[in-house]
Amino acid sequence: MKWRKKYFSACFYLFLSLVPLQENRQFGSKMTDSKYFTTTKKGEIFELKAELNSDKKEKKKEAVKKVIASMTVGKDVSALFPDVVNCMQTDNLELKKLVYLYLMNYAKSQPDMAIMAVNTFVKDCEDPNPLIRALAVRTMGCIRVDKITEYLCEPLRKCLKDEDPYVRKTAAVCVAKLHDINAQLVEDQGFLDTLKDLISDSNPMVVANAVAALSEIAESHPNSNLLDLNPQSINKLLTALNECTEWGQIFILDCLANYTPRDDRESQSICERVTPRLSHANSAVVLSAVKVLMKFMEMLPKDLDYYGTLLKKLAPPLVTLLSAEPELQYVALRNINLIVQKRPEILKHEMKVFFVKYNDPIYVKLEKLDIMIRLASQANIAQVLAELKEYATEVDVDFVRKAVRAIGRCAIKVEQSAERCVSTLLDLIQTKVNYVVQEAIVVIKDIFRKYPNKYESVIATLCENLDSLDEPEARAAMIWIVGEYAERIDNADELLESFLEGFHDESTQVQLQLLTAIVKLFLKKPTETQELVQQVLSLATQDSDNPDLRDRGYIYWRLLSTDPVAAKEVVLAEKPLISEETDLIEPTLLEELICHIGTLASVYHKPPSAFVEGSRGVMHKRLPARTGSGEGTECPDVGNAAGGSAPEAAPSIIPSQGDLLGDLLNLDLPAVLCNILIMSKLNSSLLSPQLGGDIGGSPAMGAGFGAAPTVMPASLNAPVGGGLGDLFDLGGGVGMPMGAYIPPKTVWLPAMKAKGLEISGTFARRAGVIQMELVLTNKAMSVMTDFAIQFNRNSFGLAPAGPLQVLTPLGPNQTIEVSLPLSTVGPVMKMDPLNNLQVAVKNNIDVFYFSCQYPISMLFVEDGKMERQVFLATWKDIPNDNESQFQIQDCHLNSEAASNKLQGSNIFTIAKRTVEGQDMLYMSIKLSNGIWVLAELKVQAGNPNYTISLKCRAPEVSQCVFQCYEAVLKN
Amino acid sequence: MSASAIFILDLKGKVLISRNYMGNMDMNKVDHFMPIMMRMEEDADSSPLVTHGSAHFLWIKHRNLYLVAMTKKNANAALVYSFLYKMVEVFKEYFKELEEESIRDNFVTVYELMDEVMDFGFPQTTDSKILQEYITQQGHKLDVGAPRPPATVTNAVSWRSEGIKYRKNEVFMDVIESVNLLVSATGSVLRSEIVGSIKLKVVLSGMPELRLGLNDKVLFEITGREKSKTVELEDVKFHQCVRLSRFENDRTISFIPPDGESELMSYRLNTTVKPLIWIESVIEKFSHSRVEIKVKARSQFKSRSTANNVAIMVPVPSDVDSPKFKTSTGSCKYLPEKSAVQWNIKSFPGGKEYMMRAHFGLPSVESTELEGRRPITVNFEIPYFTVSGIQVRYLKIIEKSGYEALPWVRYITQSGDYQLRTN
């Protein structure tokens, strides 16, 4: 294709014309088409214009090619718009394609002129050649100009019903394009329905594109319920799956993954029809199939034979993915990392395939290493260690570091191997390779934590390397070791002192660690180290600008000076065990990521909401819950990673901690001290008397919490957002004939939002006391302690009347019910809705915020029965503007029963009148803040619809009161 | 769903050609791609996925080109990468080789292809044989025989057109097995894997139905012929022409083949076999003076087979000089650009053992650069032989015109990723 070259060379010459003329002359002699040289940019456009308007077809085509060539190299040729569009009506297909291409690029910058193209589009959509029809409809959708869009509806409608599947499949995609430009238009024109119809098209490619288009639209409009998947449509998709192209198969599988089968039988039958896809040559098809299977498997009972078969079928294709191109290997490995955490049993025998090859790209090596550690178990530890040792002597720094760390993790994970790991690490330290030594020391610190009093004999070797440590993490680790084992290291004071010299140049991590270590040393050997401890305390408290350091310094100082025995208990307290797997993904996030296998989310290990703009508030995907055979709760067996080792406690998760609390906990300070620290921070007075529990009383704390909910993420509202309607809709049938109405419990804080803590609850009024009844469930894998609760200011001054009583730590999968008495004397601020309550709950992990709505009926006090005379007077006295009327529908109580029921919730009937078969009940209510609400309830025998009129001096409460009426009467 | 736009960049990051598929992202964002890559390179880091703000770039490299897909959604990453590779394949079919030059020379066709293979981020037809039927490099007049979309594009059989005619109907099959091996420095086999592939060259008229019979263990168990020699395939992957559900049901491999050359299936076996060529090596480095290398190569297959073109690559430090070799067979070559010695043996019959000795000088000043311990790699091929013992038992060809067709089969075993670590 020699001749093609010429367009490009022409445009290269043009390009050169921008550089100084001198150079041009230099090249000029070599060039043949020298006329382009001398033309200025303006002249070039002018010339092209002339050529585009030439009568000769061939010349025209050449000119368009030149224009496109210029466009390709990034020149602005939009000035030629009308001339190029003039070439659109051509019988030359190649030329037409080029003009269309031009249009797509420049229509947006020339919206007024783009209109000129509409006619040709409409005409081309009716061309006898399907290739042209499809080309027109495809290009049309790429012209993102509002004015044009509406002209395109008719042609699109025709193309969606075209006899040729090639046109239909192109039109299907065009609906998605149009929807992206003008969603309303697409809905108004009924294109969505046509698109849904195409799912039943006879041609598999059309089905696939229709599915893709619908999925795309549904993704950007999560509430549209477009992909209304049901067993019938699923069946159609599964049939098309066998016939369409590899890409179509991916569209369909990804769409299937959004479906939730009704029961385990449907789930199994879908799995059976998806499994053959695991044999597809395209890795992306395989991964999408894996996604569907991983998700639907969740619904299968584990004792089912098929469940085991499926598990076995998943391993080989996953392993084969590692023979794909490196980029696909990377995607596969990131996903296998998730799968191994969710279902370790699938790949537990496949350790060897993750052994690193010399020529693997670094990103593949690092991922393989990660998976190796996850799969490490007693059964394969020897092999793994031999490999890790090999890797630790490679030259690639990142890889070597990770390998050294991996050895440490193996030691912690597989107890039997700890000794071997330690000796391997010591060998590595002997290599004196600087970064290897530093990594080794960091992991040895963890090994000491895990197996106290076992390997301290190596401390001497570690101390030899003190001088070579230049990374903060390694220095901090070494200092920790010296402080922790100060009594066994003869010259501990000298070692620590040597660090003190450059105290202010150290990073915070090292400073904090040094402070703690010297205090530990002092408590162990008080006589010789008094001077040292004073030195470090003064460095920390007087010379440092770092508040964390200063506060910690002060606390130690006070502790030491007031009560050395207590200081000992605090500073030298026994430390909790460290967990085996430090970087497991939190279960709720893991579940969500499993639903996104193959996508960017699964590669980043982040939910889409974390990196896709505008996806906040979009529903998080969840794995389906088990149905069918009714064994209620089952916990996923994430814990028994890779099996092998005997009954082991579930590994706990240390979530990444960015906040203050986390930072503090990360250091080995006992919990009590943490509380002190927090208090000291918030109260800005040191060692305030109220430790731990009594957080509520502190005004500073209240203010701190009060401000926080304003930054509460909007999406948090989603689960609660349904409002009272939702609250009250649930739990029908559980009648409580007398007594106050208590709404059923709802989830206020899903575990996903709170690092594993789930809070559900309700409000009740019992014997005149308002109770917030909470159910705390720990869905994370670590123990939760130190619970406290705080409310933001609210409409009725609700506030906890005492601390949140969670006396025992909340273990993983444990649930605790707590009842929190509330007072109504807290600070007041009007909320919207009125009965909205913003709550902050703290535990040892973090502080979480949520909002909930309480039924206003719990504020109805017991002495709310008004004198009849007063009632009449008040009724008249309140202006009629303040009266509001509501309808309560479908209530089948007679007036007597209604009155009784309402009384249970402190809504008192004062008088009753019957006029023409209609009972009129007059009632009064008194709110905790002294507001009276008067009501007139009309009940007609045989009519399930009540009318209620409310009168109140503060009419904004009427709506809430009405909702209470409705809730009480209907429950 | 997948890509908002696709770019082809040169090594400096300049856009050679691009296509904006969704129009929902600023095309200039791609200018951030190369600076990020450079920064990562400085940190000795690399990732096939880079991010700039809300833009995610998924890229592959082919020769002197980067193919980059840009997205801002939670795209199906596996789909994007496999699509990019498919694009490379399509361009290669069209232009022989995909490189900067071929993009420039064929920019019109490149645009046409980009328009056809993806629409609004959804991959469409990527079968180059079918594409060639309607995207050609000649200009067309619409009235005289402008191409129409072949029915094949949207057919269930989207990989074979109707009306293909040959005078002589034949099918050539190549059964190629690659042996991947990883041996530790202490000489224990860490991993041994056979990756097999069955390639077809189909010269058949019409729409033939083919059925392939292998000595597949699972199939033989179903049909109750356990006694025969069989092969247990760990994982099988098929070309999209093979009916997967049928295979899932009764292990029958039935298909309508694409015309011409294609890979019908691939399979993987983990059965440990004796490494076909075993290497023992001693590499002694005497600092500041010399390196001495002793390599013993042994063929561990039956003597009636012969390995051809055996090449054993032994790593040496990058600063060695004055090479001297002694071999019991074959010839040696020092390849300074690869820092390796290549020992070539044209023909290596089974059950034999050969030796090689090499001697290098080392400079008196040691280089400060750390060198990784590279493995010894081996290349070879053994014709008329499969390690796994897989056999094509039959290939039935049925076409409604009832012609006779001849199937031909060839077996070959070759080295795949064959690495032996050194000390």
Side-chain angles (χ1 to χ4, degrees):
Chain A
M1 303 315 302
K2 270 265 157 55
W3 55 274
R4 255 172 226 284
K5 220 165 183 168
K6 126 180 137 214
Y7 303 106
F8 255 106
S9 37
C11 83
F12 264 107
Y13 297 168
L14 294 171
F15 207 55
L16 282 172
S17 69
L18 296 172
V19 300
L21 263 173
Q22 251 186 340
E23 268 177 73
N24 289 350
R25 239 175 262 133
Q26 215 180 327
F27 287 101
S29 55
K30 293 184 211 156
M31 311 264 176
T32 47
D33 251 350
S34 54
K35 60 177 177 179
Y36 288 113
F37 256 116
T38 46
T39 54
T40 59
K41 207 177 174 221
K42 205 173 169 190
E44 171 210 343
I45 296 281
F46 182 76
E47 235 169 74
L48 280 173
K49 210 177 178 75
E51 284 175 46
L52 285 169
N53 291 310
S54 156
D55 295 336
K56 288 180 192 147
K57 281 184 181 172
E58 205 44 39
K59 199 159 190 183
K60 242 183 187 172
K61 194 166 120 188
E62 300 276 292
V64 174
K65 281 186 182 174
K66 281 184 202 166
V67 172
I68 298 289
S70 295
M71 187 183 92
T72 305
V73 294
K75 283 184 166 194
D76 183 10
V77 282
S78 60
L80 295 165
F81 199 90
D83 311 279
V84 177
V85 171
N86 270 338
C87 304
M88 196 171 165
Q89 291 216 32
T90 170
D91 52 3
N92 185 300
L93 182 58
E94 195 183 7
L95 181 55
K96 195 179 265 299
K97 282 185 178 177
L98 291 174
V99 175
Y100 274 8
L101 186 68
Y102 179 92
L103 264 173
M104 280 188 270
N105 261 327
Y106 291 112
K108 216 171 177 181
S109 60
Q110 310 265 348
D112 294 325
M113 282 197 272
I115 278 269
M116 292 162 55
V118 166
N119 269 336
T120 318
F121 276 131
V122 174
K123 216 176 118 209
D124 281 355
C125 280
E126 296 184 359
D127 195 278
N129 186 338
L131 208 56
I132 306 278
R133 296 201 295 276
L135 181 66
V137 79
R138 185 164 59 215
T139 311
M140 250 164 50
C142 295
I143 294 177
R144 300 170 69 88
V145 178
D146 266 337
K147 275 188 211 160
I148 294 198
T149 322
E150 46 195 285
Y151 291 101
L152 305 179
C153 291
E154 280 323 300
L156 175 58
R157 196 186 313 282
K158 272 184 205 147
C159 287
L160 280 167
K161 304 240 154 95
D162 200 285
E163 52 172 25
D164 193 298
Y166 182 75
V167 180
R168 287 203 303 279
K169 73 135 186 154
T170 313
V173 176
C174 188
V175 175
K177 293 179 185 170
L178 210 57
H179 191 271
D180 196 36
I181 305 168
N182 189 341
Q184 195 56 46
L185 182 74
V186 169
E187 274 167 44
D188 295 347
Q189 295 280 334
F191 287 144
L192 293 180
D193 294 326
T194 321
L195 201 53
K196 281 189 211 163
D197 293 344
L198 287 183
I199 289 192
S200 316
D201 199 280
S202 58
N203 186 291
M205 190 103 171
V206 177
V207 178
N209 275 5
V211 168
L214 280 171
S215 304
E216 181 78 26
I217 295 170
E219 198 183 308
S220 47
H221 294 75
N223 304 320
S224 54
N225 195 27
L226 261 181
L227 282 163
D228 166 33
L229 297 173
N230 52 49
Q232 288 75 39
S233 57
I234 291 292
N235 196 34
K236 276 177 202 153
L237 293 184
L238 285 167
T239 311
L241 188 59
N242 289 324
E243 293 176 340
C244 57
T245 66
E246 48 199 322
W247 313 114
Q249 296 184 20
I250 298 172
F251 307 155
I252 291 178
L253 288 167
D254 284 355
C255 174
L256 276 177
N258 289 322
Y259 175 65
T260 307
R262 288 162 306 173
D263 51 29
D264 49 345
R265 280 178 47 204
E266 191 188 6
S267 189
Q268 177 174 347
S269 92
I270 296 175
C271 286
E272 277 166 357
R273 292 176 70 181
V274 166
T275 338
R277 297 300 121 196
L278 294 175
S279 300
H280 201 287
N282 188 325
S283 305
V285 176
V286 176
L287 265 178
S288 286
V290 169
K291 166 163 59 195
V292 175
L293 296 173
M294 280 295 288
K295 197 178 165 189
F296 290 7
M297 237 172 133
E298 202 68 15
M299 293 183 72
L300 302 177
K302 286 195 170 165
D303 46 6
L304 194 71
D305 283 348
Y306 182 70
Y307 178 83
T309 317
L310 198 52
L311 276 184
K312 275 198 208 97
K313 275 191 176 160
L314 277 168
L318 286 173
V319 171
T320 306
L321 289 175
L322 301 184
S323 323
E325 288 83 2
E327 293 82 5
L328 282 160
Q329 269 187 58
Y330 177 66
V331 176
L333 284 164
R334 291 293 283 171
N335 280 287
I336 288 174
N337 201 326
L338 299 173
I339 292 169
V340 164
Q341 289 183 59
K342 181 74 193 155
R343 298 195 179 277
E345 62 272 33
I346 295 178
L347 287 167
K348 68 178 174 198
H349 298 304
E350 302 288 351
M351 169 64 84
K352 284 182 170 184
V353 301
F354 299 102
F355 284 179
V356 170
K357 281 186 263 180
Y358 182 77
N359 42 349
D360 282 333
I362 179 69
Y363 53 82
V364 167
K365 284 185 178 175
L366 294 174
E367 286 310 312
K368 282 186 171 175
L369 199 51
D370 222 35
I371 295 168
M372 279 173 67
I373 304 165
R374 294 205 192 283
L375 290 177
S377 67
Q378 205 186 331
N380 57 26
I381 194 75
Q383 260 183 335
V384 174
L385 263 183
E387 280 295 296
L388 292 177
K389 198 174 172 184
E390 179 84 25
Y391 305 159
T393 54
E394 287 272 345
V395 286
D396 195 321
V397 179
D398 283 344
F399 182 56
V400 171
R401 280 177 183 278
K402 198 160 184 174
V404 176
R405 257 174 213 240
I407 297 174
R409 279 170 67 183
C410 284
I412 289 165
K413 196 171 171 188
V414 186
E415 186 163 0
Q416 295 80 355
S417 75
E419 193 156 347
R420 220 160 32 200
C421 294
V422 171
S423 81
T424 307
L425 288 168
L426 283 179
D427 287 350
L428 290 171
I429 289 176
Q430 297 307 337
T431 63
K432 301 280 176 200
V433 177
N434 189 274
Y435 54 85
V436 174
V437 174
Q438 311 212 42
E439 285 296 333
I441 285 179
V442 172
V443 297
I444 285 179
K445 180 203 74 176
D446 289 341
I447 297 177
F448 283 171
R449 280 282 308 271
K450 172 84 181 182
Y451 309 109
N453 305 318
K454 234 175 149 180
Y455 300 109
E456 283 76 13
S457 54
V458 309
I459 290 176
T461 320
L462 303 184
C463 289
E464 287 165 21
N465 293 285
L466 212 61
D467 300 333
S468 64
L469 309 178
D470 53 10
E471 291 164 17
E473 206 184 349
R475 286 173 82 84
M478 192 64 221
I479 292 169
W480 181 89
I481 292 172
V482 176
E484 187 67 19
Y485 299 101
E487 68 275 24
R488 309 183 192 199
I489 305 170
D490 293 338
N491 60 342
D493 48 344
E494 281 169 40
L495 294 176
L496 292 177
E497 199 172 358
S498 69
F499 283 101
L500 261 193
E501 282 162 30
F503 187 78
H504 290 299
D505 301 328
E506 299 282 4
S507 71
T508 311
Q509 189 185 12
V510 179
Q511 289 175 333
L512 286 167
Q513 209 54 265
L514 193 53
L515 173 62
T516 306
I518 292 179
V519 173
K520 280 182 189 167
L521 172 69
F522 172 70
L523 289 167
K524 289 175 179 177
K525 302 178 179 174
T527 45
E528 312 121 66
T529 56
Q530 202 152 2
E531 203 177 314
L532 191 60
V533 82
Q534 261 162 7
Q535 204 182 337
V536 78
L537 286 174
S538 90
L539 278 172
T541 53
Q542 282 156 31
D543 302 341
S544 170
D545 292 335
N546 184 322
D548 288 343
L549 185 63
R550 228 168 34 218
D551 282 359
R552 197 189 285 193
Y554 275 123
I555 289 165
Y556 283 145
W557 204 323
R558 298 269 171 115
L559 263 174
L560 292 173
S561 54
T562 34
D563 189 351
V565 179
K568 216 165 188 166
E569 274 170 26
V570 171
V571 180
L572 303 179
E574 203 165 305
K575 282 158 286 294
L577 273 187
I578 65 166
S579 57
E580 316 189 324
E581 305 238 12
T582 44
D583 57 348
L584 283 178
I585 295 174
E586 202 217 321
T588 38
L589 176 60
L590 182 61
E591 286 202 359
E592 187 179 356
L593 294 178
I594 291 284
C595 301
H596 289 291
I597 282 178
T599 68
L600 288 181
S602 73
V603 180
Y604 287 128
H605 288 186
K606 283 182 194 161
S609 56
F611 61 88
V612 179
E613 276 177 11
S615 66
R616 293 209 137 214
V618 171
M619 277 283 287
H620 289 266
K621 290 191 184 178
R622 293 290 300 270
L623 291 177
R626 278 267 312 278
T627 57
S629 54
E631 32 176 305
T633 50
E634 52 127 21
C635 80
D637 49 352
V638 185
N640 308 325
S645 39
E648 47 189 355
S652 54
I653 290 179
I654 303 179
S656 54
Q657 293 150 327
D659 52 308
L660 158 81
L661 192 55
D663 279 345
L664 289 167
L665 284 174
N666 214 358
L667 303 160
D668 51 290
L669 290 175
V672 189
L673 193 51
C674 284
N675 276 338
I676 303 173
L677 272 172
I678 291 160
M679 293 309 299
S680 76
K681 261 192 180 307
L682 293 169
N683 285 349
S684 66
S685 74
L686 267 173
L687 295 187
S688 103
Q690 72 262 65
L691 295 184
D694 184 25
I695 300 176
S698 144
M701 190 75 184
F705 271 24
T710 51
V711 292
M712 187 172 54
S715 56
L716 237 181
N717 283 326
V720 205
L724 282 176
D726 278 356
L727 286 174
F728 293 158
D729 271 352
L730 302 167
V734 199
M736 267 171 296
M738 291 312 279
Y741 164 68
I742 300 170
K745 289 196 171 75
T746 46
V747 175
W748 286 334
L749 183 67
M752 199 161 31
K753 300 259 162 81
K755 301 186 178 167
L757 173 65
E758 185 186 273
I759 300 182
S760 57
T762 184
F763 295 90
R765 187 178 182 93
R766 294 185 203 279
V769 180
I770 306 167
Q771 306 266 13
M772 184 180 198
E773 304 192 328
L774 294 147
V775 179
L776 309 177
T777 307
N778 182 352
K779 295 201 169 169
M781 310 197 76
S782 61
V783 175
M784 294 177 178
T785 55
D786 305 323
F787 287 93
I789 193 163
Q790 221 8 287
F791 294 170
N792 192 12
R793 285 183 289 170
N794 52 71
S795 316
F796 296 95
L798 283 172
L804 187 63
Q805 299 282 353
V806 184
L807 298 174
T808 48
L810 191 58
N813 285 320
Q814 260 183 15
T815 293
I816 190 168
E817 295 199 20
V818 202
S819 193
L820 179 73
L822 305 181
S823 73
T824 51
V825 295
V828 174
M829 181 176 77
K830 194 178 165 192
M831 301 296 289
D832 186 30
L834 211 59
N835 56 344
N836 196 29
L837 181 65
Q838 295 178 332
V839 183
V841 168
K842 164 191 110 53
N843 64 7
N844 58 331
I845 295 168
D846 207 343
V847 181
F848 310 104
Y849 304 99
F850 63 87
S851 68
C852 54
Q853 293 176 0
Y854 47 88
I856 207 168
S857 60
M858 67 181 210
L859 300 169
F860 298 170
V861 294
E862 281 68 20
D863 62 342
K865 187 159 187 176
M866 222 177 220
E867 289 293 321
R868 289 178 80 150
Q869 295 307 321
V870 184
F871 183 91
L872 278 171
T874 317
W875 185 271
K876 281 185 191 150
D877 200 33
I878 297 176
N880 280 343
D881 289 354
N882 281 9
E883 181 173 345
S884 20
Q885 262 203 4
F886 302 93
Q887 292 282 333
I888 298 175
Q889 281 166 358
D890 278 336
C891 192
H892 297 280
L893 300 168
N894 62 25
S895 61
E896 188 77 8
S899 169
N900 280 340
K901 215 167 178 183
L902 290 167
Q903 182 136 5
S905 290
N906 294 342
I907 302 174
F908 301 98
T909 307
I910 297 162
K912 181 179 161 186
R913 203 152 62 104
T914 308
V915 183
E916 294 168 2
Q918 185 168 303
D919 289 340
M920 316 277 270
L921 299 172
Y922 296 96
M923 299 182 248
S924 72
I925 299 163
K926 187 182 170 192
L927 296 179
S928 56
N929 57 356
I931 292 178
W932 286 93
V933 182
L934 311 186
E936 180 197 65
L937 185 69
K938 288 182 197 158
V939 182
Q940 195 161 19
N943 183 355
N945 297 342
Y946 297 179
T947 308
I948 182 167
S949 305
L950 294 173
K951 260 192 163 183
C952 178
R953 291 194 196 277
E956 32 305 36
V957 302
S958 300
Q959 179 68 31
C960 288
V961 172
F962 156 68
Q963 283 165 354
C964 283
Y965 264 93
E966 198 168 36
V968 172
L969 288 173
K970 290 193 179 173
N971 281 286
Chain B
M1 157 144 292
S2 68
S4 281
I6 288 188
F7 303 87
I8 301 181
L9 310 181
D10 69 6
L11 287 179
K12 292 193 188 103
K14 203 180 109 211
V15 179
L16 294 175
I17 203 161
S18 65
R19 173 66 200 252
N20 187 352
Y21 285 107
M22 297 185 76
N24 59 357
M25 288 179 82
D26 180 3
M27 293 292 276
N28 293 324
K29 284 206 165 146
V30 75
D31 297 341
H32 297 290
F33 174 71
M34 207 35 93
I36 297 174
M37 294 286 285
M38 311 260 264
R39 226 175 305 137
M40 289 179 88
E41 201 173 317
E42 269 168 34
D43 301 343
D45 193 5
S46 108
S47 167
L49 169 60
V50 299
T51 313
H52 176 82
S54 60
H56 309 276
F57 301 103
L58 298 92
W59 62 275
I60 65 169
K61 198 175 166 188
H62 182 82
R63 292 191 160 225
N64 53 5
L65 299 174
Y66 287 98
L67 283 87
V68 184
M70 176 169 85
T71 180
K72 62 173 185 175
K73 297 199 173 172
N74 182 26
N76 185 330
L79 175 140
V80 174
Y81 289 121
S82 94
F83 175 75
L84 291 177
Y85 275 104
K86 200 72 182 195
M87 254 177 106
V88 171
E89 216 174 278
V90 169
F91 287 143
K92 275 163 85 175
E93 290 276 329
Y94 265 84
F95 316 129
K96 276 241 166 75
E97 191 37 80
L98 173 64
E99 52 188 13
E100 215 177 312
E101 189 81 349
S102 52
I103 297 277
R104 281 190 205 288
D105 292 354
N106 302 286
F107 75 99
V108 174
T109 314
V110 173
Y111 272 130
E112 279 191 46
L113 285 172
M114 285 177 107
D115 194 36
E116 198 62 43
V117 293
M118 184 175 257
D119 194 6
F120 203 55
F122 306 123
Q124 302 290 308
T125 309
T126 52
D127 192 309
S128 55
K129 284 199 198 70
I130 306 304
L131 286 168
Q132 272 164 351
E133 287 184 29
Y134 65 111
I135 296 188
T136 57
Q137 288 159 311
Q138 296 110 44
H140 288 286
K141 291 268 179 172
L142 286 187
D143 38 353
V144 273
R148 296 183 160 246
T152 332
V153 176
T154 48
N155 263 353
V157 181
S158 63
W159 54 87
R160 185 183 181 90
S161 291
E162 294 192 32
I164 297 172
K165 275 219 168 72
Y166 289 105
R167 254 167 21 118
K168 194 172 177 191
N169 291 297
E170 289 174 304
V171 178
F172 303 90
M173 290 180 84
D174 279 338
V175 180
I176 303 163
E177 290 195 340
S178 301
V179 181
N180 295 335
L181 184 76
L182 185 61
V183 178
S184 77
T186 52
S188 54
V189 176
L190 298 175
R191 259 194 92 189
S192 148
E193 184 187 64
I194 301 164
V195 178
S197 153
I198 299 186
K199 296 196 166 148
L200 290 183
K201 186 179 173 196
V202 177
V203 188
L204 293 173
S205 313
M207 277 295 195
E209 266 294 331
L210 272 63
R211 214 141 52 87
L212 173 67
L214 300 171
N215 54 340
D216 169 17
K217 186 173 174 199
V218 183
L219 175 67
F220 276 41
E221 275 168 12
I222 297 172
T223 50
R225 280 178 294 180
E226 274 122 290
K227 275 165 283 166
S228 334
K229 193 171 170 260
T230 58
V231 174
E232 187 176 359
L233 306 169
E234 179 118 344
D235 188 32
V236 195
K237 293 277 176 276
F238 291 106
H239 185 276
Q240 62 168 327
C241 66
V242 177
R243 297 181 183 95
L244 295 181
S245 344
R246 181 101 195 260
F247 179 75
E248 181 79 11
N249 284 342
D250 58 9
R251 301 289 279 196
T252 308
I253 303 171
S254 75
F255 55 98
I256 297 172
D259 190 42
E261 290 178 30
S262 59
E263 184 180 52
L264 178 70
M265 62 180 278
S266 64
Y267 55 88
R268 192 170 52 78
L269 296 99
N270 268 347
T271 35
T272 11
V273 286
K274 228 179 184 184
L276 296 171
I277 293 190
W278 186 249
I279 306 285
E280 280 168 44
S281 67
V282 184
I283 304 177
E284 277 179 297
K285 191 173 164 185
F286 302 92
S287 285
H288 318 299
S289 72
R290 65 190 194 281
V291 179
E292 284 181 7
I293 297 170
K294 267 183 268 177
V295 177
K296 188 162 79 180
R298 194 167 64 231
S299 53
Q300 310 193 107
F301 43 86
K302 292 206 173 97
S303 55
R304 61 168 189 265
S305 289
T306 300
N308 293 337
N309 304 322
V310 180
I312 302 165
M313 298 276 273
V314 185
V316 295
S318 57
D319 53 355
V320 295
D321 52 47
S322 36
K324 279 181 221 138
F325 307 109
K326 221 200 271 170
T327 57
S328 59
T329 190
S331 64
C332 270
K333 214 167 33 178
Y334 169 48
L335 306 172
E337 72 279 6
K338 287 185 180 158
S339 300
V341 179
Q342 186 175 341
W343 178 17
N344 291 314
I345 304 163
K346 266 240 132 56
S347 148
F348 198 149
K352 290 267 196 255
E353 190 174 292
Y354 298 123
M355 289 287 289
M356 183 274 272
R357 278 164 190 277
H359 180 283
F360 288 93
L362 273 178
S364 50
V365 187
E366 209 166 338
S367 84
T368 49
E369 215 173 296
L370 267 176
E371 282 188 64
R373 283 170 310 166
R374 288 169 294 139
I376 293 177
T377 57
V378 185
N379 285 310
F380 58 85
E381 50 182 55
I382 309 172
Y384 319 114
F385 168 77
T386 55
V387 224
S388 66
I390 200 168
Q391 274 173 351
V392 175
R393 291 171 42 244
Y394 59 82
L395 179 68
K396 291 195 178 132
I397 304 162
I398 302 157
E399 217 278 335
K400 56 176 184 284
S401 65
Y403 59 70
E404 287 276 313
L406 294 172
W408 306 89
V409 187
R410 215 162 40 159
Y411 298 97
I412 190 165
T413 291
Q414 62 187 26
S415 55
D417 206 344
Y418 203 96
Q419 300 185 358
L420 301 98
R421 292 185 187 151
T422 56
N423 264 320

